[in-house]
Amino acid sequence: MGSHEVELFPCDPTGSDIPASLAVPEHPETVAVHISPGTKGQGAFLVLWAKQQHCQAWTFNTQKAISERLDAEALPISMMAADSVVSLRAQGNDVHYADEGEPSAQKRQQHQCDALLSFLGQAIKTKFDLSQAIRLGRHFSSFSAGSVTLSTPKSKEWMLKDETGTLCRFSETGGEWLEYLVSRAFERAGARQVYTRVRIEWSEGNRDFLSKKYPGEKDFFVRDMDVLGSYGRRNFLVSCKAKTDPATIEESAREAALMAPLIGRYTLPLLCHLGCDKSYIFEDSERKQKVRVIGWRELCRPEKLRHYLDELRELIY
């Protein structure tokens, strides 16, 4: 299933005004009504309207990720996750993401991330440890895998080079480099509609108020999400932490567990943390939410990322 346009309209709590509110379709044979299961009156009145107009009526089966025909025998229709940014905007949010409307910048980031992921994929076969290299900082000299060398020419600045020149540069400051890297890794694993640095803006009035209350601060957001994407029938969120201290993993995983449901009820939460040496499932007992924690090594293994998304999809209904 897919949508090219979303139109919203109000109805009363029972849904009884729906049949009178919807226009008579010119070609009812091309119209299908899909409702979510439950006892809500809106679903019942939508089906009533469909029957009155000789349209098809379907109901979502969330666990099977299909929509099933109610009024006739028919093969089920597969459900796919909606674009997470479109969904957030449909809720009335002012949403922006990194490199929006800048295809050349997006392609440049992809090329740089591909180069770094390729290097790490080779380095992972040795004793190289990216987290340890970042901990060492200026005390790290360089490391080569094949003809490619990673070095730190100055504090918190990193460079990847081969015999043709510079392949990639990134700065530790802010952690933006890891967000781009995670986005690209999930794209290479088969995820769709992957966005980096997704931010929901405050209204102009609220921004003015916050600017006056916190002078000197520049960025004010209702919500700041590192990576959002879609995989099969589910959306997912990845919180990215370029920290190397394992002691901060649990707090960061709880943050991901809190954030994911705010995007959507069935959003899959993951955490990429440089302090994680071995991937595992963290369970937030308070929210009864499971979070898949990964480190930099998993980013080099598309099959692992697909497995983790499939696994979370089965664990979280």
Side-chain angles (χ1 to χ4, degrees), residues 197-230:
R197 304 205 117 191
V198 182
R199 288 164 170 177
I200 298 178
E201 305 276 357
W202 287 103
S203 67
E204 186 175 350
N206 280 334
R207 284 199 301 271
D208 290 343
F209 170 79
L210 292 168
S211 296
K212 292 174 183 175
K213 187 173 182 179
Y214 303 101
E217 294 289 334
K218 293 181 179 179
D219 298 328
F220 299 103
F221 309 108
V222 179
R223 233 170 280 159
D224 185 359
M225 298 147 285
D226 297 334
V227 176
L228 290 181
S230 305

Side-chain angles (χ1 to χ4, degrees), residues 6 12 17 22 42 59 77 96 99 103-104 109 126 144 163 169 176 179 188 198 218 239 244-245 271 291 312:
V6 177
D12 70 31
D17 57 344
L22 295 177
Q42 291 92 336
T59 183
I77 300 173
H96 300 281
D99 302 328
S104 59
Q109 287 292 346
T126 70
S144 297
E163 65 274 6
R169 287 179 180 271
E176 185 175 354
E179 296 167 13
R188 287 162 55 124
V198 182
K218 293 181 179 179
S239 179
T244 58
D245 183 2
L271 167 67
V291 179
L312 270 181

Side-chain angles (χ1 to χ4, degrees), residues 3-270:
S3 299
H4 297 287
E5 183 178 314
V6 177
E7 183 178 349
L8 307 177
F9 68 93
C11 67
D12 70 31
T14 67
S16 59
D17 57 344
I18 287 177
S21 301
L22 295 177
V24 175
E26 187 176 349
H27 300 286
E29 69 278 4
T30 66
V31 176
V33 168
H34 295 262
I35 66 167
S36 56
T39 57
K40 299 182 290 294
Q42 291 92 336
F45 281 107
L46 275 169
V47 171
L48 173 63
W49 176 86
K51 293 298 291 180
Q52 290 173 338
Q53 304 302 329
H54 306 289
C55 302
Q56 299 176 18
W58 300 73
T59 183
F60 295 126
N61 184 323
T62 307
Q63 287 193 347
K64 293 183 179 179
I66 56 175
S67 194
E68 299 171 313
R69 187 79 182 262
L70 285 172
D71 57 332
E73 290 292 325
L75 292 174
I77 300 173
S78 296
M79 294 167 57
M80 299 292 287
D83 183 307
S84 51
V85 166
V86 172
S87 296
L88 288 170
R89 286 174 173 163
Q91 297 168 28
N93 296 301
D94 183 9
V95 182
H96 300 281
Y97 54 89
D99 302 328
E100 184 174 3
E102 300 181 39
S104 59
Q106 292 173 7
K107 192 160 288 289
R108 183 172 62 252
Q109 287 292 346
Q110 287 179 357
H111 289 326
Q112 293 200 34
C113 289
D114 284 343
L116 185 52
L117 287 168
S118 178
F119 167 81
L120 293 175
Q122 293 298 315
I124 204 173
K125 300 171 186 175
T126 70
K127 292 183 178 180
F128 174 77
D129 185 340
L130 178 63
S131 300
Q132 180 64 19
I134 290 175
R135 285 191 204 103
L136 289 171
R138 289 292 292 151
H139 297 290
F140 174 81
S141 55
S142 65
F143 180 86
S144 297
S147 61
V148 183
T149 299
L150 179 69
S151 62
T152 174
K154 59 182 181 178
S155 179
K156 297 187 181 297
E157 299 292 326
W158 296 80
M159 181 169 59
L160 195 66
K161 295 180 67 174
D162 68 2
E163 65 274 6
T164 66
T166 302
L167 301 173
C168 171
R169 287 179 180 271
F170 66 91
S171 170
E172 288 178 48
T173 307
E176 185 175 354
W177 70 274
L178 182 60
E179 296 167 13
Y180 278 112
L181 193 69
V182 168
S183 289
R184 187 59 179 155
F186 276 89
E187 283 180 337
R188 287 162 55 124
R192 301 174 295 109
Q193 299 154 341
V194 181
Y195 300 97
T196 311
R197 304 205 117 191
V198 182
R199 288 164 170 177
I200 298 178
E201 305 276 357
W202 287 103
S203 67
E204 186 175 350
N206 280 334
R207 284 199 301 271
D208 290 343
F209 170 79
L210 292 168
S211 296
K212 292 174 183 175
K213 187 173 182 179
Y214 303 101
E217 294 289 334
K218 293 181 179 179
D219 298 328
F220 299 103
F221 309 108
V222 179
R223 233 170 280 159
D224 185 359
M225 298 147 285
D226 297 334
V227 176
L228 290 181
S230 305
Y231 182 75
R233 66 183 188 266
R234 304 289 280 276
N235 291 323
F236 64 89
L237 170 143
V238 190
S239 179
C240 305
K241 300 297 181 185
K243 302 174 182 178
T244 58
D245 183 2
T248 63
I249 291 178
E250 184 172 317
E251 178 185 354
S252 299
R254 292 185 191 280
E255 179 185 309
L258 175 65
M259 182 70 73
L262 300 177
I263 311 306
R265 182 178 174 188
Y266 299 108
T267 301
L268 307 176
L270 299 97

